[in-house]
């Protein structure tokens, strides 16, 4: 989840909202890669989730990273709720999932170095206090009641609201993890093409990275339960966004959509003010019930944009949001996939050629199929496995064309980061398939084995 924004003067016209998004346009040589990934922490001996406080806790991990590795603390109401260093952030999801929001980096070699350094730091702190971390899309055994609640005002408000608008919002907040990548665009037409590719092909990422086949201690009937959760969370702020594929889509269209997404909060003086279900349009008129007479600032707009949760999200960059959290190799494979598709024009054109003939029903059908059946899913005559092969081949071509060297020139490009995905395509097995095979095979139905066998 995003940290509160700051700065920006009062909003005087709706045009400023589109200008805010358009300010994200950058020349190609300034395009960067920002990778985010979440993971579950648990006590080594009890296998229970980490509380916020105590000798074995989320707070202890954050303080250890602060004291040992020079991260600056982020506080809310006196509680340490995150860390900052060199353009990167460590933050907390509602149930204590630990998230690295990486710095904007030039290539995936740097991204993978960053991921590995972060995991080494976390492991060194965690080992001393009897804590482990695991990368999965959903908590395999823990019940909702077992999950801790982090001391963040934003999460308190969201928790109260979720049951009003869907049935799975609290499951998303407290018992799921993702890996995602944030990418730049060069112009409004470039943004449009990238966002369309991102939305249309997001089910492919869901299928390739499917890693949440368990919930409440048993198989749940889905390869990606995390993806299933997002389908019944809040229809006003989730989904595949058919309007993005309509003629004339651009920054102003996104503004109109975002203005109609009900608000969660306004952040003032270190506190979250309850604006649940209220209208940003009313806020623009100075008629927000939560703050009568006040008009929003650009930081309020930036905050509001972080409360919109479609499969791909537009801010001053594009967020790819469809993948389950997973093992460390796939934390580098996810940015490799999307950078390969989006940062080379020939690859981007080829990616759009794959998807441009699909209608909204097919795109939504693929989203559902990826959640239920992973790489074996299909919808509208489109087989996810076949599309995934095309998509990964296209990404590989894009990475070859980028030709970003690594390891002091020993690696000619970034294509080897796709190896985990190519292995899945060779076997037809996403991580969820492997987990289910272990559960029904050598684990003999003992799901607690997952913690030792799949920890970081």
């Amino acid at each position: 989840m995003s940290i509160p924004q700051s700065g920006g003067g009062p909003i005087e016209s709706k045009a400023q909202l589109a200008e805010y998004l358009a300010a994200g346009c950058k020349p190609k040589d300034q395009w960067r890669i920002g990778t985010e990934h979440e993971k579950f922490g648990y006590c080594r001996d009890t296998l229970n989730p980490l509380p916020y406080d105590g000798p074995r806790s989320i707070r202890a991990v954050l303080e250890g990273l602060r004291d040992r590795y020079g991260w600056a603390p982020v506080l809310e109401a006196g509680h340490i709720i995150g860390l900052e260093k060199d353009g990167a952030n460590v933050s907390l999801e509602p149930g204590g999932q630990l998230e690295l929001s990486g710095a904007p980096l030039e290539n995936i070699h740097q991204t993978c170095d960053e991921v590995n350094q972060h995991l080494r730091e976390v492991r060194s702190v965690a080992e001393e206090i009897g804590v482990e971390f695991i990368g999965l899309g959903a908590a395999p055994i823990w019940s909702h009641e077992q999950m801790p609640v982090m001391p963040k005002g934003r999460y308190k408000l969201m928790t109260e609201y979720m049951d009003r608008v869907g049935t799975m919002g609290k499951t998303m907040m407290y018992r799921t993890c993702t890996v995602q990548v944030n990418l730049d665009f060069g112009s409004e037409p470039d943004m449009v093409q990238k966002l369309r590719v991102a939305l249309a092909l997001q089910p492919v990422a869901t299928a390739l990275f499917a890693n949440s086949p368990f919930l409440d201690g048993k198989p749940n009937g889905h390869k990606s339960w995390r993806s299933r959760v997002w389908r019944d969370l809040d229809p006003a702020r989730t989904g595949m966004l058919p309007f993005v594929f309509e003629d004339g889509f651009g920054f102003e269209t996104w503004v109109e959509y975002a203005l109609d997404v009900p608000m969660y909060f306004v952040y003032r003086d270190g506190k979250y003010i309850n604006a649940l279900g209220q209208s940003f349009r009313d806020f623009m008129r100075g008629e927000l019930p939560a703050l009568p007479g006040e008009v929003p600032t650009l930081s309020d707009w930036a905050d509001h944009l972080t409360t919109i949760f479609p499969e791909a999200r537009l801010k001053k960059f594009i967020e790819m949001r469809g993948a389950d959290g997973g093992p460390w190799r796939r934390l580098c494979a996810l940015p490799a996939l999307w950078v390969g598709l989006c940062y080379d024009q020939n690859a981007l054109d080829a990616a759009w050629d794959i998807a441009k003939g699909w209608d909204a029903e097919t795109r939504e059908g693929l989203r559902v199929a990826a959640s239920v059946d992973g790489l074996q899913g299909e919808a509208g005559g489109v087989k996810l496995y076949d599309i995934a092969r095309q998509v990964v081949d296209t990404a590989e071509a894009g990475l070859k064309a980028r030709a970003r060297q690594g390891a002091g020139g020993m690696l000619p490009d970034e294509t080897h980061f796709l190896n985990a995905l190519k292995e899945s395509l060779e076997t037809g097995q996403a991580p969820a398939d492997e987990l289910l095979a272990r559960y029904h095979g050598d684990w003999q139905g003992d799901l607690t084995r997952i913690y030792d066998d799949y920890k970081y």
Side-chain angles (χ1 to χ4, degrees):
M1 292 286 179
S2 302
I3 60 175
Q5 306 296 302
S6 60
I11 298 170
E12 298 175 351
S13 72
K14 195 160 61 174
Q16 289 174 264
L17 307 183
E19 290 166 2
Y20 173 87
L21 297 172
C25 295
K26 296 180 178 68
K28 189 172 183 177
D29 63 358
Q30 295 179 24
W31 292 355
R32 296 294 182 264
I33 306 160
T35 304
E36 305 179 20
H37 66 89
E38 303 160 3
K39 50 210 163 288
F40 294 108
Y42 59 94
C43 300
R44 184 184 300 138
D45 55 351
T46 67
L47 305 183
N48 288 329
L50 296 184
Y52 174 75
D53 250 324
R56 290 188 304 174
S57 65
I58 288 293
R59 180 177 58 79
V61 172
L62 292 176
E63 290 176 346
L65 292 171
R66 176 197 65 190
D67 297 341
R68 187 173 302 180
Y69 296 106
W71 289 82
V74 177
L75 303 178
E76 181 178 322
H79 299 288
I80 184 170
I81 51 91
L83 304 164
E84 297 176 325
K85 185 171 70 171
D86 299 333
N89 293 276
V90 175
S91 60
L92 301 179
E93 293 297 291
Q97 305 96 313
L98 193 71
E99 177 179 7
L100 174 69
S101 297
L105 300 172
E106 294 183 19
N107 60 61
I108 303 162
H109 307 291
Q110 296 170 344
T111 293
C112 211
D113 288 345
E114 177 189 58
V115 166
N116 289 331
Q117 176 66 24
H118 169 72
L119 292 179
R120 282 193 297 269
E121 292 181 4
V122 169
R123 193 180 302 116
S124 73
V125 172
E127 284 177 348
E128 292 187 1
I129 59 174
V131 165
E132 304 280 5
F133 283 88
I134 191 169
L136 296 166
I141 298 175
W142 306 324
S143 68
H144 177 74
E145 289 70 27
Q146 285 181 279
M147 301 307 297
V149 179
M150 298 299 103
K152 298 180 71 170
R154 172 182 178 132
Y155 297 158
K156 184 177 187 297
L157 290 174
M158 289 174 63
T159 300
E160 294 170 354
Y161 187 68
M162 285 299 180
D163 286 343
R164 303 186 205 172
V165 291
T167 65
M168 294 189 176
K170 290 189 291 191
T171 299
M172 177 278 292
M173 292 177 64
Y174 292 93
R175 292 197 284 169
T176 66
C177 283
T178 186
V179 54
Q180 64 184 57
V181 64
N182 307 322
L183 299 181
D184 289 315
F185 45 81
S187 64
E188 186 170 41
D190 185 46
M191 177 278 292
V192 171
Q193 187 179 20
K194 285 176 176 170
L195 188 58
R196 287 172 175 169
V197 165
L199 284 164
L201 296 183
Q202 212 61 225
V204 175
T206 299
L208 283 166
F209 290 83
N211 194 35
S212 49
F214 306 115
L215 195 76
D216 295 326
K218 58 184 184 297
N220 55 43
H222 288 67
K223 301 294 178 65
S224 174
W225 184 254
R226 186 201 60 85
S227 180
R228 169 68 187 91
V229 163
W230 281 104
R231 300 207 315 270
D232 200 2
L233 187 143
D234 180 352
R237 69 185 77 240
T238 60
M240 295 289 282
L241 307 186
F243 70 87
V244 170
F245 298 87
E246 295 174 359
D247 290 344
F249 172 73
F251 292 126
E252 291 183 3
T253 323
W254 189 270
V255 167
E256 294 298 330
Y257 159 67
L259 285 172
D260 286 330
V261 173
M263 294 177 65
Y264 279 158
F265 61 82
V266 181
Y267 189 74
R268 289 287 185 275
D269 301 320
K271 296 181 180 179
Y272 289 90
I273 297 169
N274 185 338
L276 293 171
Q278 296 177 28
S279 166
F280 207 95
R281 293 184 189 275
D282 289 343
F283 201 5
M284 296 274 290
R285 294 191 291 265
E287 298 172 0
L288 190 72
L291 286 174
E294 280 201 37
V295 295
T297 65
L298 282 173
S299 61
D300 294 324
W301 176 238
D303 279 337
H304 182 59
L305 292 175
T306 71
T307 69
I308 302 170
F309 307 129
E311 294 295 288
R313 176 165 70 182
L314 176 63
K315 297 196 285 191
K316 286 185 176 180
F317 45 85
I318 297 172
E319 298 181 0
M320 312 302 184
R321 300 172 49 83
D324 286 1
W328 71 266
R329 289 183 72 208
R330 288 175 179 265
L331 301 181
C332 303
L334 191 278
L337 177 71
W338 288 112
V339 167
L341 293 175
C342 292
Y343 275 8
D344 173 73
Q345 188 61 50
N346 288 334
L348 183 62
D349 290 341
W352 180 233
D353 284 342
I354 293 170
K356 66 184 180 183
W358 302 342
D359 57 18
E361 184 178 4
T362 300
R363 292 190 295 269
E364 180 62 25
L366 289 171
R367 179 191 183 202
V368 174
S371 170
V372 177
D373 296 318
L375 287 171
Q376 290 74 46
E378 61 179 284
V382 178
K383 295 183 178 181
L384 276 163
Y385 177 81
D386 294 342
I387 296 301
R389 291 189 69 90
Q390 294 181 53
V391 166
V392 172
D393 285 348
T394 301
E396 184 173 36
L399 294 177
K400 284 181 179 178
R402 266 171 58 84
R404 299 300 175 90
Q405 296 182 350
M410 294 177 63
L411 295 169
D413 54 42
E414 303 151 303
T415 55
H416 68 285
F417 292 113
L418 294 173
N419 285 348
L421 306 186
K422 294 165 78 172
E423 289 170 15
S424 285
L425 292 171
E426 288 171 7
T427 63
Q429 304 282 294
D433 298 296
E434 178 183 310
L435 289 173
L436 287 166
R438 298 291 304 276
Y439 176 80
H440 293 295
D442 61 305
W443 291 350
Q444 296 184 332
D446 179 7
L447 194 47
T448 63
R449 297 276 299 276
I450 199 171
Y451 293 108
D452 201 43
D453 287 5
Y454 284 86
K455 66 186 178 185
Y456 282 124

